[in-house]
Amino acid sequence: MQHLSETPPNVILGPLALVPDGKARNFVLEMRAGRFHGFVVRWGETVHGYVDRCAHMALPLAQQLDQYLTEDGALIQCSWHGALYRIEDGVCVGGPCAGARLRAWPVAVRDGMIVTA
């Protein structure tokens, strides 16, 4: 099955409460063209989405389900080689791919639901 790097807009992922504040959650979407792997990080009423692929090596970032953030929750961390990414824009600020960035997955909150944008 092909790994996709984007999704159509207006796919409802679930209620905002599905992702605890200050945490991340993995989403896998099965589509006709293939399978999409992404994750969403929540900050209050805001969500940031990224394709689940490290900019250093095209591996999923988390080795354990939903474990995308550093222990203090301040950065996204690749569990394979330790690359660190800012939550707000996906730019790598430490590790083997400094300056590279995660591929954004456009998501938004509408009427209390997380949706693809």
Side-chain angles (χ1 to χ4, degrees):
M1 176 158 290
Q2 183 176 351
H3 282 277
L4 303 176
S5 58
E6 55 188 34
T7 59
N10 302 313
V11 174
I12 297 172
L13 301 174
L16 182 60
L18 194 60
V19 183
D21 194 11
K23 301 289 183 186
R25 183 178 177 117
N26 170 276
F27 289 90
V28 178
L29 281 69
E30 296 279 346
M31 294 180 280
R32 237 179 263 134
R35 183 177 293 148
F36 173 85
H37 293 262
F39 65 97
V40 170
V41 182
R42 177 179 172 192
W43 282 123
E45 301 301 305
T46 304
V47 290
H48 301 278
Y50 294 99
V51 175
D52 192 3
R53 288 277 174 250
C54 181
H56 170 232
M57 295 182 75
L59 296 169
L61 289 155
Q63 292 184 51
Q64 294 182 343
L65 186 63
D66 299 334
Q67 298 300 308
Y68 292 97
L69 304 180
T70 54
E71 202 168 299
D72 64 2
L75 296 166
I76 298 166
Q77 180 175 25
C78 176
S79 64
W80 297 97
H81 300 106
L84 298 170
Y85 302 90
R86 288 190 305 237
I87 292 169
E88 62 272 15
D89 60 11
V91 171
C92 183
V93 295
C97 56
R101 76 173 52 217
L102 297 174
R103 183 171 178 155
W105 177 32
V107 293
V109 177
R110 288 193 206 121
D111 300 322
M113 301 297 280
I114 303 169
V115 298
T116 59

